Amino acid sequence: MASIFISPFNVARKEIVIYFDIPIFIMSIIGGCLNLIIFLSLKTFRQSSCAFYLTIKSAYDLGLTIGILLSYIMRWGFGIDWGLQSLFFCKIRNGMATVFQSGSMTCLCLAVIDQYFATSSRVHWQKWCDIKLARRLTAIFTIIWILQGIPYVVFYNHIISPSTNTTTCEITNEKFNEYLVYGYYFIISNLLLFISIIFGFMAYYNARHLTHRIVPLIRRELDKQLTVMVLVQVLINFCIILPFNTANMLIKITATSSDPVFQAKISFAGSVTLSFYYLSCASPFYTYICVSQRFRQQLKYASFT
C-alpha cells in the first residue's frame, strides 16, 4: 500500500532532475568556466583580493558541479548510482561534497568581508584587503574543510537493509550524524550565511558613501561593482541554502522514522531543496553579468579577442 503513495514522489524527483537539474548542470559548467576566464584575464580583477575569492569560489562550484551534481543526475535521472557500484566512490563523494560546499560558502563570506574592509573609511582596515592575505586564508580554510571531510570518508559505508535487501550509502556513526545536524548544518553553514548577509549590507552602505572619500575613480567604481556583485550573490545564496540546510537537518533527525510514506515526503523535500541548492553554483556568472558593467565589458573582450 505504501508503494502507491511513494511512487509519485520518485517519478516527480526524476522529472525534476531531467528538466531542472540537467539545465542547471549545463549552466554551471558554462558560467563557471567563463567566470574563471574573466577573473583571470582582467588585470584589475587579478590584483583584487575580493575577485581572488570569487575566482576560487568559481573553482569550488565547478568541482561541486562535476563531482557531485553529475553523480546526482545519473542516480536519480537515469538510475545509475556510482556510490553503490563502488564503496570508494560512496565514501569520497560525500567528502568531496562537504569540501566544495564549505569552500564555496567560505570564499563568498570572505569576499563580502573583504569588500566591507575595502569600502571602509578607516585606512587601517583597508590594509586587510591584500591579495597575499587572501591566498593564505583560502589555503588555510581549504585545509580545514579537507580535514572536516575525512570523517565522511571514514563513516560513510554500504548498508544492506534487512527489510528490502537493498544497499544504500549511509553514515554508520551516530555521533558524526549528530555533528552534521547540529554542528555543520545548524551552526557552521548557517553562521557563514548570516555573517555574509551582515557584512554584505555593511559593505553596501560603505560603497554608497565612497563618493565622499578621496579614492581613485577606477578603484571606486571597481569597489562599487564588486560590492553589488557579492551582495546580490549573498542574498541569492541565503534564499537557496537556508532551506537546504533546514531540509538536511530534518532528514538526519527523522532518519529513524518507520513510516515509509513520511520518509518519502521528507526525502522528496530534501531533493527539491538540493536541486535549488545547485543554483548557487549556476547563478554567480549570470548574476555578475546582470549587475556589473565592468564584468560585461570583460566578457565581450574575452569573447572577441
Side-chain angles (χ1 to χ4, degrees), residues 49-70:
S49 50
C50 178
F52 176 81
Y53 292 127
L54 297 181
T55 304
I56 303 301
K57 171 180 164 51
S58 297
Y60 278 129
D61 289 342
L62 275 174
L64 187 63
T65 300
I66 297 171
I68 310 302
L69 177 55
L70 179 59

Side-chain angles (χ1 to χ4, degrees), residues 28 33 42 45 97 147 192 233:
S28 297
C33 291
L42 184 62
F45 280 148
L147 292 175
L192 289 172
Q233 191 58 47

Side-chain angles (χ1 to χ4, degrees), residues 75-110:
R75 177 184 180 186
W76 294 109
F78 303 97
I80 303 172
D81 192 343
W82 296 330
L84 298 186
Q85 297 173 4
S86 167
L87 178 60
F88 172 78
F89 191 77
C90 161
K91 291 174 170 291
I92 201 68
R93 174 178 63 188
N94 293 285
M96 288 168 55
T98 190
V99 173
F100 293 143
Q101 289 172 354
S102 304
S104 178
M105 288 191 296
T106 301
C107 283
L108 184 60
C109 186
L110 290 172

Side-chain angles (χ1 to χ4, degrees), residues 163-180:
S163 58
T164 62
N165 200 33
T166 56
T167 303
T168 57
C169 179
E170 302 290 345
I171 296 173
T172 55
N173 184 282
E174 185 59 33
K175 294 296 182 182
F176 182 62
N177 192 58
E178 291 178 2
Y179 162 75
L180 287 183

